[in-house]
Amino acid sequence: MKFLILANGEYGELDWYRKQQGFDRVICADAGASMALQIGIEPQLVIGDLDSIGKKELEQLKTAGCRFLVYPVEKDYTDTHLALMLAEKEGATEVTVWGGTGSRLDHTLGSIFSAAVLAEQGIAVRFASPAQMIYLVCDELRLPGCPGETVSVMALVGRARGVTLEGFYYPLSGVTLETRSTLGVSNVITTPDPLIRVEQGILTVFHYPTVKKRSEAGGQSGGW
């Protein structure tokens, strides 16, 4: 089952989200429900402490038949983490997160690390937005991308072994990446829909469709 989670991070151009379809279940993490209403989506369930949703929006969601799982404000998990755990519990095979990243780096990292548990269970996880796509890969990913677009790959926890990149300006074959390494930062797609493979561990793939680079410019870890 394909699950969509709407969190309370940054979204950007909302028309991009309105064009995305094909989800079986929609879960909102607290104020992600407000974004769902703005986009024009009616979620099946809202989870969290509900401290960021207005009364008018709550009534609109209740009228639409939305279920609520309410947690206290003082809890051990973020609302997004709770939504991810619920998706796993309810049989998700794919999870897409909107609004899972933003200016709060602690929340961004918390969401990515908590999603790693799902990836380890074989659930395909991605954080999607118009400007950035983040994939958690435990085996193989055929990345939907075009030549010239920027991609970075990093080990999420500890080491990612047997990392292979095909269709990139800087290819890799069976390489071990460590969390503390920037070897995989700022690569460039040279072939449509390139292949990314990892034999052991979790690889975090950052894809920036709007960031174009000439393949011959700079080194692999150029940039910041």
Side-chain angles (χ1 to χ4, degrees):
M1 292 183 68
K2 296 182 179 181
F3 276 61
L4 171 64
I5 294 174
L6 288 87
N8 192 29
E10 296 179 359
Y11 279 75
E13 178 53 55
L14 295 187
D15 282 343
W16 182 89
Y17 299 93
R18 297 185 179 107
K19 298 174 183 176
Q20 313 303 311
Q21 299 179 356
F23 302 106
D24 300 307
R25 295 287 307 279
V26 179
I27 299 174
C28 290
D30 202 338
S34 300
M35 294 305 303
L37 293 176
Q38 290 186 50
I39 294 168
I41 295 176
E42 291 186 354
Q44 284 83 41
L45 189 144
V46 177
I47 189 170
D49 50 39
L50 307 187
D51 65 343
S52 303
I53 305 178
K55 291 183 179 180
K56 182 178 180 180
E57 294 164 323
L58 278 174
E59 290 303 318
Q60 185 176 347
L61 291 166
K62 290 177 181 178
T63 301
C66 182
R67 291 193 298 129
F68 294 85
L69 287 179
V70 184
Y71 285 75
V73 174
E74 296 183 358
K75 56 187 184 303
D76 294 333
Y77 304 100
T78 66
D79 296 324
T80 303
H81 193 170
L82 290 172
L84 287 164
M85 290 192 293
L86 180 64
E88 179 187 11
K89 179 180 178 181
E90 296 201 350
T93 56
E94 297 182 20
V95 175
T96 297
V97 182
W98 292 350
T101 62
S103 58
R104 282 287 301 269
L105 183 58
D106 53 344
H107 278 284
T108 297
L109 291 176
S111 296
I112 293 174
F113 279 116
S114 58
V117 178
L118 279 67
E120 289 174 336
Q121 302 301 317
I123 301 171
V125 182
R126 65 172 186 162
F127 292 76
S129 72
Q132 173 183 258
M133 304 290 289
I134 302 174
Y135 301 84
L136 302 188
V137 182
C138 291
D139 43 26
E140 183 175 299
L141 171 67
R142 182 64 71 174
L143 180 68
C146 301
E149 296 174 351
T150 297
V151 175
S152 294
V153 297
M154 304 181 72
L156 182 58
V157 181
R159 294 181 176 87
R161 304 180 187 275
V163 176
T164 296
L165 304 180
E166 298 178 2
F168 291 90
Y169 185 73
Y170 302 101
L172 295 176
S173 180
V175 172
T176 295
L177 295 180
E178 297 191 5
T179 303
R180 296 170 291 182
S181 171
T182 57
L183 175 64
V185 173
S186 290
N187 211 330
V188 183
I189 297 175
T190 57
T191 303
D193 302 338
L195 178 67
I196 299 171
R197 183 184 298 117
V198 58
E199 296 178 0
Q200 183 180 353
I202 303 176
L203 199 62
T204 314
V205 178
F206 301 85
H207 177 209
Y208 301 94
T210 61
V211 179
K212 306 288 185 175
K213 295 183 67 176
R214 292 172 56 196
S215 60
E216 68 272 17
Q220 180 162 351
S221 295
W224 291 7

